[in-house]
Amino acid sequence: MAKLKIDGKEIEVPDHYTLIQACEEAGAEVPRFCFHERLSVAGNCRMCLVEVKGGPPKPQASCAMGVRDIRGGPNGELPEVFTNTPMVKKAREGVMEFLLINHPLDCPICDQGGECDLQDQAMAFGIDSSRYQEDKRAVEDKYIGPLVKTVMNRCIHCTRCVRFTTEVAGISELGLIGRGEDAEITTYLEQAMTSELQGNVVDLCPVGALTSKPFAFTARPWELNKTESIDVMDALGSAIRVDTRGREVMRVLPRVNEQINEEWISDKTRFIWDGLKTQRLDKPYVRKDGRLQAATWSDAFAAIKSAVAATSGDKIGAIAGDLASVEEMYALSELLKSLGSENLDCRQDGTALDPSLGRASYIFNPTIEGIEAADALLIIGATPRFEAAVLNSRIRKRWRRGKFPIGVIGEHADLRYSYDYLGAGPDTLADVVSGSHAFADVLKNAQKPMIIIGQGALIREDGAEVLANAAKLAAAFGVVKDGWNGFAVLHTAASRVGGLDLGFVPGAKGVNAAAMLSSMDVLFLLGADELDFTRKGAKFTVYIGSHGDNGAHNADVILPAATYTEKSGTWVNTEGRVQMGNRAGFAPGDAREDWAVIRALSDVLGKKLPFDSLRELRSKLYAAFPHFAGIDEIAEADSAQIVALAKKAGAMGKSGFASPIKDFYLTNPIARASAVMAECSALARNNFQAAAE
């Protein structure tokens, strides 16, 4: 720790702090454009000038000077820094005047207006006029893809975007070329950016040079209602803010959550919003004469009632989709139990995870934040770059610190960091488990080794054996020990951990999702669209969901429901953290929240569920499963469950592990309804084909 004075106030800060961080700790406001806490120091905007007592007789850039770099007085006086002296004021006014020399007066038409750091700091720290009369320079706008709009005349060369793509995203797609007045930010060859995190440069840009292309000219920030919520595009549960105008979602932005997403979100999370309003189901439908026709709620419920009455409980089943919240899965499970059915499954991809093996067997035990504490990593059957882009950036962050060997068993993909490719499948895993592979020694010698098991290793026929062998590896090489549990299951579906916690899996006499799809008399699909409907043999299918996707096309009755931005719901992320999403708007037309649809249906079926409001539903849910009441908490899992699972290790198959994510941009019904995601998908395919050639 280091002691110093900021504007006469004595404080103590960690000795690795820069002066700008120390000033913030003391409550002093220091303007900045290039400095960002999560990026390397550039020191090129010079806006953060301060005066250091006893230092050179000129202002100092506080972002580029550490608290260890300044000295106290000769008699033991503490080092002193001043942020509001006449010298500092004059210096900042001069810097601002220089920054505005070439900046165009675009504020009335700039999408950054109202959220612009340059605007705010020009008002707070600049002067009211300019002495520069010459023509402003002009810079050609660049095409960098369908997501980020460029107006490079506004660029002040802070290089935040360059540092983000290089350091966090892991690919040098942006750079600064030229010198002086000829300097400009570019993609070098004027190609589209390919990173799954590129949209974060919009938040980082302190001026209007990089803005959101889909959001351009649609709304001003002060027109929007802002709702804090949770993302469901993957299983991380990133903290987001949903901005709406009226009933329409206009954009999605990240919120800071150090434990999960820091302040980044993936492009799918950020730009999915146009899919929330297209291909929507806004009224019930009933299939008549082979065609789906609009109907009333009464007609739809009556059709379901007659189908249920004509069969027995053992021929009724329910499959929950990847975006379902805990509340609606709980309501549906209670309804099916009241109908005498044990045919429930939240694992529409057929993953081998089972709550009977214990919670530690299906969550990301070391936590996402715990990645930074690990000192060795083995990835089995996962491609984190596409399955959890923000988590992948956390792995890269740890890798950049050094002394972090990474081994991969599965697909040989570009993960944006270097790793040792060990092999394609179970044979390699067996070698590591037996200790005959060199990477086994890496795990054995690590203090906090970590294993990530992806769904690509678990959705196979031998998924249970692969999981057990991974547990055996964890138990044998110190991945699970006192004070550390490095056994991590990486999910791809936002609903999966919540469903497993609920026990939304087949009972003793129940069958799994694949068997239900082919054999049930009545099958309920709760937003389940990722099934192989070519094998559908179910006689009567009820789809409860928001979009006209695969599930709706194969349904006999459609009950329109709400998306994640249109309901208050609970989701449990891959690390087992219970999170609450909030309603930002209302569902269109006759669509209603999923739990309310199920509650109304239960009354018609004569099996009325014991709740009439969301509050009552949650009261029942928390009584049955108390850990769901611990919002933003992770219920502790017993690592002994992994040791017990290890004893079930058996023979595995021969085929290599393959990631279930074939197209990052089109993984769910909302994404497939999005024109922006379709454009990104087409661009990614073209880039892949070009690279293959």
Side-chain angles (χ1 to χ4, degrees), residues 255-393:
R255 289 187 293 121
V256 176
N257 187 327
E258 299 292 349
Q259 296 170 313
I260 301 174
N261 61 309
E262 298 182 293
E263 60 185 80
W264 319 124
I265 53 174
S266 74
D267 293 339
K268 188 162 54 176
T269 300
R270 182 185 297 271
F271 295 106
I272 199 78
W273 50 267
D274 70 314
L276 292 168
K277 55 189 176 185
T278 52
Q279 297 290 331
R280 288 302 304 270
L281 300 171
D282 59 359
K283 61 183 69 173
Y285 286 85
V286 176
R287 191 175 295 277
K288 295 179 181 177
D289 301 324
R291 295 184 60 187
L292 285 167
Q293 299 180 21
T296 64
W297 282 103
S298 299
D299 292 341
F301 285 165
I304 298 170
K305 182 178 181 180
S306 61
V308 170
T311 188
S312 58
D314 62 331
K315 300 297 286 183
I316 301 173
I319 304 172
D322 292 348
L323 308 183
S325 71
V326 169
E327 286 85 354
E328 60 218 42
M329 285 191 287
Y330 173 72
L332 187 56
S333 67
E334 291 299 298
L335 175 59
L336 259 74
K337 289 173 185 175
S338 69
L339 293 171
S341 173
E342 295 185 1
N343 301 313
L344 300 167
D345 208 343
C346 64
R347 308 163 302 182
Q348 59 176 334
D349 57 4
T351 183
L353 299 169
D354 193 318
S356 65
L357 301 173
R359 197 169 197 250
S361 71
Y362 62 82
I363 66 171
F364 203 93
N365 290 284
T367 73
I368 297 167
E369 200 173 23
I371 292 171
E372 297 187 36
D375 54 2
L377 173 63
L378 175 62
I379 300 174
I380 304 170
T383 309
R385 177 184 157 195
F386 301 117
E387 295 170 23
V390 176
L391 181 140
N392 195 58
S393 73

Side-chain angles (χ1 to χ4, degrees), residues 417-454:
Y417 42 80
S418 61
Y419 59 83
D420 295 322
Y421 184 65
L422 310 183
D427 289 344
T428 307
L429 176 58
D431 289 343
V432 179
V433 172
S434 67
S436 60
H437 197 287
F439 202 82
D441 294 330
V442 174
L443 295 175
K444 188 181 297 183
N445 296 329
Q447 296 299 310
K448 291 186 174 181
M450 184 173 166
I451 298 174
I452 294 179
I453 307 98

Side-chain angles (χ1 to χ4, degrees), residues 564-576:
Y564 71 105
T565 60
E566 297 161 357
K567 61 189 173 189
S568 175
T570 304
W571 285 270
V572 185
N573 78 346
T574 191
E575 58 184 354

Side-chain angles (χ1 to χ4, degrees), residues 108-222:
I109 60 162
C110 177
D111 272 312
Q112 200 87 342
E115 297 176 318
C116 178
D117 292 346
L118 187 64
Q119 246 183 3
D120 297 340
Q121 294 183 37
M123 289 291 292
F125 302 103
I127 56 177
D128 60 358
S129 61
S130 173
R131 293 172 286 179
Y132 193 80
Q133 301 299 323
E134 284 76 12
D135 293 336
K136 295 178 182 287
R137 74 170 193 154
V139 181
E140 185 180 352
D141 292 340
K142 311 293 189 300
Y143 171 76
I144 61 175
L147 303 180
V148 182
K149 175 188 172 186
T150 63
V151 185
M152 301 314 293
N153 284 336
R154 304 169 186 162
C155 181
I156 61 170
H157 305 143
C158 69
T159 68
R160 278 186 181 182
C161 56
V162 176
R163 285 175 283 147
F164 172 82
T165 55
T166 304
E167 297 166 11
V168 179
I171 179 168
S172 299
E173 294 187 304
L174 289 176
L176 185 104
I177 62 171
R179 300 184 67 183
E181 196 165 85
D182 295 326
E184 55 184 279
I185 302 290
T186 178
T187 55
Y188 302 118
L189 300 178
E190 303 229 358
Q191 293 180 336
M193 296 170 69
T194 61
S195 171
E196 295 74 29
L197 299 169
Q198 62 180 278
N200 290 290
V201 301
V202 172
D203 298 330
L204 288 172
C205 185
V207 295
L210 302 176
T211 54
S212 170
K213 189 175 284 187
F215 178 69
F217 307 126
T218 59
R220 287 295 199 179
W222 54 84

Side-chain angles (χ1 to χ4, degrees), residues 452-476:
I452 294 179
I453 307 98
Q455 298 306 302
L458 302 176
I459 60 176
R460 304 149 47 97
E461 290 186 3
D462 63 348
E465 287 73 26
V466 173
L467 181 66
N469 275 278
K472 184 177 179 180
L473 175 64

